[in-house]
Amino acid sequence: MRLALFCAYHKFSARFLPSLKSSEPNMRLLCWKVVYAMQHYRLVFVGLILLLQACTATQPNSTNPKAPKESYRYTDKQVKSERYPSMISVPFEITMAEVERQLNANLQGVIYEDNSYDDDNQDNFMCRVTKLNAISATAQNNTFLFNVPLKIWVSVRFGLLGVYQTKETEFAINLKLNTKFSIDPTWQAHTETTLAGYDWISKPVVKLGPVQLPVTSIISKVLNSKKEVVEKGIDEAVQKNIEIKKYVLQAWNTTLQPMNLSDKYRAWLKVTPLEIQMTPLQTVNNRVRASIGIQALTETVFGERPEGRQVSDIPNLKVVPNVSNDCQIGVISEISHNEAARLMSDTLVGQKFSFNNNKYTVEVTSIDLYGTENQVVIKAGLKGSINGNIFFKGVPMYDVQKK
């Protein structure tokens, strides 16, 4: 009988999770395929043939061998320190039509305003620049080319010995801009705008009583002298109206919420982003392209829904020359002994196994699971030709071919 018990106690190859150990009874077993292997566990009961052959055919036998000692080689902290981040490369592409749509949605009304005659070394000049119609955009040589229809109101002060008069006019132009766009590490949109010229939509005139005098040449000189002011005003308007970090933060917090993979196995995917990388924007065939690299910890958890969390800030963007096209996925899976035992019980408890032409029959009444050093111990309760508990001990492994 001792020989038979020893044979049933020998190491077995079980087809579920490779295990990493914890110092607590809720030792964590790692390998997300555990749930799919539970249905194959009936194979371990083949060892019962040797037990049953050592028993008499007429009387049920009882067995309660000494249980292996529960012990663990690694702490929970050591297990988590072995997690490997995943790196996912995501191509980013946006058409210039979409750039136009976003610009027109975010740049509305007054784009630039100068309400003082006395600023800029008392330039005696005031103006208000308002978007007139939709902005059109194209891309060439990593530069955005914008046509911006504007309505411009201008007021000029002139005088002598403290006696001043003002004259104002209003006109419309189609402003031509060359802009380089970038995102800095703080997720702030930045533009470097150069005024490439303009076309008159309606020319400026000044009213002197019933007479209207064209002042196109005067206004042209004023606009040319204000070139840097216009460029700076447009860049500041873009920076003020285009928010990037807010949307990235929303996506980041959405990613932090566990995703349900399976109701049956109570499996959850947990993703913890660590870093986002991005290459500089490039323009190709009137499209804007970049590569985005996302580094994250990915794990599957079995049991109750893991607690989701929210963050109020995100790491800075890491701007890099290039992002590797290789995707590296490191998945760690976590399942408590109680949850693994529950899954096994759902498959095995109540199952009957017959051997030797139905001469011997046992029914599985309970399943428990714990660890001893780097091995897993399965305690199976039986009734029938054998009554009591038997223990299986071994190193779990995943059968890649049979899955």
Side-chain angles (χ1 to χ4, degrees), residues 205-214:
V205 294
V206 173
K207 292 183 179 180
L208 293 176
V211 180
Q212 291 186 341
L213 298 177

Side-chain angles (χ1 to χ4, degrees), residues 186-187 243-254 256-257 308-316:
T186 63
W187 298 99
E243 288 189 78
I244 297 175
K245 187 173 183 178
K246 177 176 71 174
Y247 300 107
V248 177
L249 178 61
Q250 291 175 358
W252 192 283
N253 280 323
T254 299
L256 285 172
Q257 305 313 304
R309 62 190 183 97
Q310 297 278 315
V311 296
S312 58
D313 200 8
I314 55 176
N316 283 349

